[in-house]
Amino acid sequence: MMKAMIFVVCLLAVWLGVAAEARELRSEVFPLLDLKLPGLEEVKAFHEKGEDREAAKALLVYYRNRAGVRISGKVSLSEEEEHWANDAVKHIFYVRGERQDSLYYGEEIDWTYWPVKDNELRWQLHRHKWFTPLGKAYRTSGEEMYAEAWVHQYRDWIRKNPLLSDEERKKQRQGSQGEIDEVENMRFAWRPLEVSHRLQDQIMQFRLFLDSPSFTPEFLTEFLVNYHRHAAHIMGHYSQRGNHLLFEAQRMIAAGSFFHEFRDAAAWRKSGIGILNREITAQVYEDGGQMELDPGYHLASINLFRKALELAEKNGFRDEFPPSYSGVIEKMIVFHANISFPDYSNPCFSDAKLHGRRVMLRNYRVWSGLFPKNEAIRYFATEGREGAFPAYLSKGFPDSGFFVFRNSWGRDATQMVVKAGPKAFWHNQPDNGTFELWFKGRRLFPDSGSYMYGGEGEIQEQRDWHRQSCVHNTATLDDRNLENTESVTRLWQPDGEVQVLVTENRSYRDLKHRRSVFFVEGRYFVLVDELAGNATGTVNLHYQMPEGEIVHESREMSFATQFEDGRDMKLQCFGPAGMSVRQADGWYSEQSRHRRKRMRISFDARKEGGEAVRYITVICPVETNGKIPRFHAEFASGKFDEGGLKVNVSVDGKIRELSYELNRT
């Protein structure tokens, strides 16, 4: 049971704040509503007689009795959400999914407070993530202090974060700046993505607080005017592309469906539907991969498309989405299942964060309901108790440039996911040819991740470090970032004892990187990296080691892990004469603002003139039990061949010739 006495001082401050605010009736709400709709007759009659205060009272009664508004059943409040709600009463706001991001914003809330120059921190402040926990705390406890806090903070935000017109912004830029630059503040408070987030969440907040005495008729008019302003702003300022546009479109469908009393509601809904119908083909490749080449945003896009379809089913406009729409969603789910590891986790390529088993099981259960005939989705939804895993093992997605080698769908699998795709934008990193490797429950060579989303000073420097090409499992020239990230798949052979991927990227103006990956006997990998062209400098072949103790044999150019459970790997590189190896401290990040130290290595060789620099790397995951495999590898020919490759590789004395021929392009 909550103890309200703890918050006496805070309650008094909130009450005084609420009391000081004008109970202004916003009569401009009534022209925004279609008062001819059934149920609004009394509102219309009062408004036409000029009795807008009575009209507002009737409107509040209408919403409190409207079907689909009241929450049926018990509202759950987690311990963490209760903590956020109690903090919010004291103006300590939960901004993101980190305790360190719960910050005190002052007795007089300072919505421009920015203690850490991380853009995401300030953007997410304006998503008001603590508002819904406040509503849940109100519904579970009945304590009015939570509703009073919400109303006060909601009004305070409107007052201190004005939406400026284009003309007002122009005047401010030309004039003198005060203590608060409202134009700069608008960049954070009114970015369309944040506006859409509020648009979505305020539906639930409306439902949670609607019965509160603090939710007065006057406040209802303020709420609805502000809500309409949000939707109208998005209508004129949709993002140009990417996941932001999808978020905004899906949330406009939600706004137009729930608040259908607005005259513009149908236009909001139709705009969202039109965008999603267009973008599901514009943003999703034929193989099911989303254009940003980021597993996290791929997952988010699946659910945005899905939520829109569910809204359409529920509200009777399913026929506004073509039959092909759901087929694309299904392909996207199959894509995600393939690039994920057996424990439901994902590679942290680009800006992706690690999604765990519980989150993904919830997703698969929802997806299985949407596609009940898909045996693979049902298999993942039930952890293998029902359905069936796909009939294939290795799988390529050449349009989006993801390729998966695996010898099993179980946790005992050896699985490599290679990323070598087309040109993308912001979230995508310059890392063509990189990979992650899973071995019997351990992620080897984890991607460096993103750590930070961007900002100023040190924050941007930290983001830039994790984006570098040289901190990925790929090749560079003089440690510089790749100038071009547009890989071409030359060969994909996913079957048999020796499976092959050949991908090429014109990494620099005068240097092409061809990476050939062989998966041999479902046991080990041979990576052949050939860098050809007229560029000169030092070619660097980078590998990011797993966390933990690494044994280095300098004479052999080999590195091996030594985990206590014996699930290890050995890497050995065979390169040109004069090749050297560097070791340095590296990092990898699976969650925002969290990272771990690990070793990174680079095999360096000078490149002079037109002669190609070529490497062979053997990577063998193994349950060692004290036994480390022995490798040897060499090229069968002395020069780079545009038409093919032949190498000889020995693992523990067993020699294999690995080769392919390419179609001339």
Side-chain angles (χ1 to χ4, degrees):
M1 178 179 175
M2 299 182 186
K3 302 192 181 302
M5 291 298 293
I6 298 173
F7 303 104
V8 169
V9 175
C10 300
L11 256 177
L12 180 61
V14 169
W15 182 85
L16 289 172
V18 172
E21 291 169 344
R23 303 297 202 276
E24 182 184 354
L25 181 76
R26 302 297 298 273
S27 292
E28 64 266 37
V29 71
F30 298 109
L32 300 177
L33 302 173
D34 184 358
L35 298 181
K36 296 178 182 178
L37 289 174
L40 294 177
E41 295 85 359
E42 191 174 3
V43 179
K44 181 175 183 290
F46 279 124
H47 175 61
E48 289 178 345
K49 289 190 292 184
E51 299 178 17
D52 283 351
R53 198 163 297 277
E54 295 303 314
K57 292 178 183 178
L59 186 60
L60 183 57
V61 171
Y62 163 81
Y63 275 116
R64 285 175 173 171
N65 291 285
R66 199 196 84 180
V69 173
R70 285 188 176 275
I71 297 174
S72 59
K74 185 178 180 181
V75 173
S76 63
L77 176 73
S78 70
E79 184 178 340
E80 193 168 35
E81 287 174 322
E82 182 180 355
H83 175 82
W84 296 333
N86 290 337
D87 273 355
V89 174
K90 298 176 283 187
H91 297 179
I92 300 171
F93 298 151
Y94 154 64
V95 179
R96 296 199 300 192
E98 310 288 339
R99 280 291 174 92
Q100 71 221 48
D101 290 334
S102 289
L103 302 169
Y104 178 57
Y105 283 82
E107 182 177 350
E108 287 293 325
I109 301 170
D110 181 1
W111 298 98
T112 66
Y113 180 52
W114 196 15
V116 179
K117 297 300 185 277
D118 177 357
N119 286 344
E120 200 68 17
L121 181 68
R122 192 162 172 190
W123 273 318
Q124 295 213 22
L125 168 68
H126 295 287
R127 297 182 186 181
H128 303 157
K129 288 189 176 181
W130 64 94
F131 275 4
T132 299
L134 275 172
K136 289 183 174 183
Y138 168 70
R139 289 298 295 262
T140 55
S141 70
E143 294 180 10
E144 192 63 21
M145 65 176 179
Y146 296 115
E148 290 174 348
W150 177 68
V151 169
H152 168 67
Q153 292 169 23
Y154 191 95
R155 283 172 161 158
D156 191 76
W157 186 90
I158 293 173
R159 180 168 58 87
K160 294 177 181 174
N161 295 276
L163 175 59
L164 303 177
S165 67
D166 292 342
E167 186 63 30
E168 288 170 326
R169 290 199 298 273
K170 184 178 179 181
K171 285 180 179 178
Q172 279 223 3
R173 289 193 187 100
Q174 293 173 344
S176 60
Q177 302 298 305
E179 290 184 8
I180 298 175
D181 185 339
E182 290 184 335
V183 175
E184 173 67 6
N185 188 56
M186 259 194 68
R187 183 168 72 89
F188 295 99
W190 287 94
R191 188 173 71 155
L193 181 64
E194 276 60 55
V195 176
S196 77
H197 200 100
R198 296 194 296 269
L199 204 64
Q200 169 187 260
D201 287 1
Q202 285 180 19
I203 293 173
M204 178 55 70
Q205 292 152 19
F206 180 86
R207 299 175 71 196
L208 288 167
F209 287 113
L210 189 60
D211 288 332
S212 164
S214 298
F215 205 118
T216 63
E218 291 79 12
F219 177 73
L220 173 62
T221 65
E222 293 178 70
F223 178 93
L224 292 175
V225 168
N226 183 58
Y227 196 87
H228 186 278
R229 182 185 299 121
H230 276 54
H233 181 65
I234 292 176
M235 282 287 280
H237 298 86
Y238 273 114
S239 296
Q240 291 186 350
R241 59 178 177 171
N243 68 85
H244 286 207
L245 179 58
L246 304 184
F247 276 108
E248 293 153 17
Q250 183 268 320
R251 290 161 177 174
M252 286 293 277
I253 297 171
S257 299
F258 185 83
F259 286 108
H260 59 262
E261 295 84 4
F262 283 113
R263 292 179 183 273
D264 295 331
W268 301 344
R269 180 171 58 79
K270 287 184 180 296
S271 76
I273 292 171
I275 288 168
L276 293 185
N277 278 335
R278 181 189 74 218
E279 294 299 310
I280 201 165
T281 55
Q283 291 200 30
V284 182
Y285 289 107
E286 185 62 30
D287 60 17
Q290 197 261 351
M291 63 180 285
E292 290 170 286
L293 309 183
D294 177 311
Y297 285 106
H298 179 93
L299 175 61
S301 298
I302 292 172
N303 285 325
L304 288 167
F305 290 128
R306 172 191 61 80
K307 287 177 182 177
L309 199 61
E310 290 176 348
L311 274 169
E313 291 276 9
K314 185 178 179 181
N315 291 280
F317 51 90
R318 173 64 179 82
D319 60 351
E320 294 185 38
F321 290 96
S324 60
Y325 184 93
S326 61
V328 176
I329 298 174
E330 188 172 13
K331 281 199 295 186
M332 295 179 75
I333 295 169
V334 171
F335 175 97
H336 190 83
N338 272 274
I339 69 167
S340 297
F341 296 118
D343 66 347
Y344 295 86
S345 65
N346 57 275
C348 288
F349 297 140
S350 301
D351 278 339
K353 307 297 182 287
L354 195 66
H355 291 92
R357 172 178 165 275
R358 290 177 62 187
V359 169
M360 289 313 304
L361 277 173
R362 285 198 301 268
N363 278 312
Y364 277 111
R365 287 165 187 159
V366 172
W367 297 339
S368 187
L370 189 59
F371 302 104
K373 294 181 180 180
N374 190 305
E375 292 292 299
I377 296 175
R378 185 145 57 97
Y379 177 86
F380 295 119
T382 62
E383 298 183 274
R385 292 186 297 275
E386 299 176 23
F389 54 72
Y392 54 82
L393 290 172
S394 298
K395 179 72 172 175
F397 299 89
D399 298 317
S400 51
F402 285 80
F403 300 88
V404 186
F405 296 100
R406 64 164 60 82
N407 62 8
S408 167
W409 284 96
R411 289 183 64 90
D412 62 343
T414 298
Q415 177 184 344
M416 176 183 280
V417 184
V418 182
K419 176 176 178 281
K423 194 172 184 178
F425 66 106
W426 203 77
H427 290 292
N428 186 49
Q429 296 179 349
D431 58 2
N432 290 47
T434 196
F435 64 88
E436 280 204 22
L437 178 60
W438 161 285
F439 177 60
K440 296 190 175 183
R442 172 163 285 125
R443 289 171 63 222
L444 304 169
F445 304 95
D447 193 86
S448 292
S450 62
Y451 187 54
M452 290 289 188
Y453 256 33
E456 297 180 2
E458 183 183 4
I459 299 298
Q460 188 61 45
E461 290 174 5
Q462 291 168 339
R463 175 172 177 78
D464 291 343
W465 189 95
H466 282 260
R467 287 184 58 83
Q468 296 175 97
S469 300
C470 65
V471 301
H472 292 85
N473 301 310
T474 190
T476 63
L477 181 65
D478 297 324
D479 285 330
R480 292 188 285 119
N481 283 345
L482 305 186
E483 294 172 355
N484 179 57
T485 56
E486 199 159 6
S487 293
V488 175
T489 304
R490 297 296 308 277
L491 178 65
W492 171 241
Q493 166 49 47
D495 302 310
E497 272 201 340
V498 179
Q499 301 172 19
V500 189
L501 167 66
V502 182
T503 179
E504 291 181 351
N505 183 52
R506 182 68 62 178
S507 301
Y508 305 93
R509 187 180 63 179
D510 294 319
L511 192 67
K512 176 175 71 177
H513 176 202
R514 176 186 291 176
R515 168 160 279 183
S516 306
V517 183
F518 298 89
F519 186 31
V520 185
E521 300 172 355
R523 179 187 171 200
Y524 64 91
F525 297 89
V526 177
L527 279 66
V528 181
D529 291 280
E530 301 174 282
L531 294 104
N534 293 322
T536 61
T538 300
V539 172
N540 326 105
L541 180 60
H542 305 278
Y543 291 105
Q544 317 305 312
M545 295 290 102
E547 187 179 10
E549 184 181 355
I550 308 291
V551 176
H552 172 215
E553 293 291 342
S554 57
R555 186 175 60 85
E556 293 186 346
M557 295 289 186
S558 70
F559 294 82
T561 61
Q562 289 196 324
F563 295 112
E564 290 184 2
D565 59 16
R567 292 174 295 161
D568 287 299
M569 72 85 194
K570 178 184 175 182
L571 176 152
Q572 188 170 354
C573 186
F574 302 85
M579 181 182 77
S580 61
V581 63
R582 284 180 294 154
Q583 300 178 43
D585 288 338
W587 301 92
Y588 73 102
S589 175
E590 298 173 341
Q591 300 295 337
S592 178
R593 299 178 70 178
H594 292 278
R595 62 180 180 176
R596 292 178 172 180
K597 186 171 285 189
R598 47 106 174 260
M599 178 193 292
R600 60 189 178 102
I601 61 174
S602 172
F603 298 100
D604 300 336
R606 285 295 301 172
K607 184 178 184 307
E608 305 292 349
E611 193 71 21
V613 172
R614 303 194 294 166
Y615 304 85
I616 304 172
T617 306
V618 183
I619 300 174
C620 186
V622 62
E623 289 183 299
T624 55
N625 298 319
K627 183 182 178 182
I628 302 293
R630 294 175 291 106
F631 305 149
H632 180 73
E634 61 185 13
F635 289 96
S637 62
K639 292 187 176 181
F640 173 68
D641 181 0
E642 286 282 0
L645 175 70
K646 186 181 292 184
V647 298
N648 297 311
V649 177
S650 169
V651 176
D652 281 337
K654 183 177 180 180
I655 301 174
R656 268 195 175 273
E657 180 186 276
L658 305 176
S659 64
Y660 59 79
E661 291 185 0
L662 299 175
N663 294 324
R664 297 286 182 176
T665 58

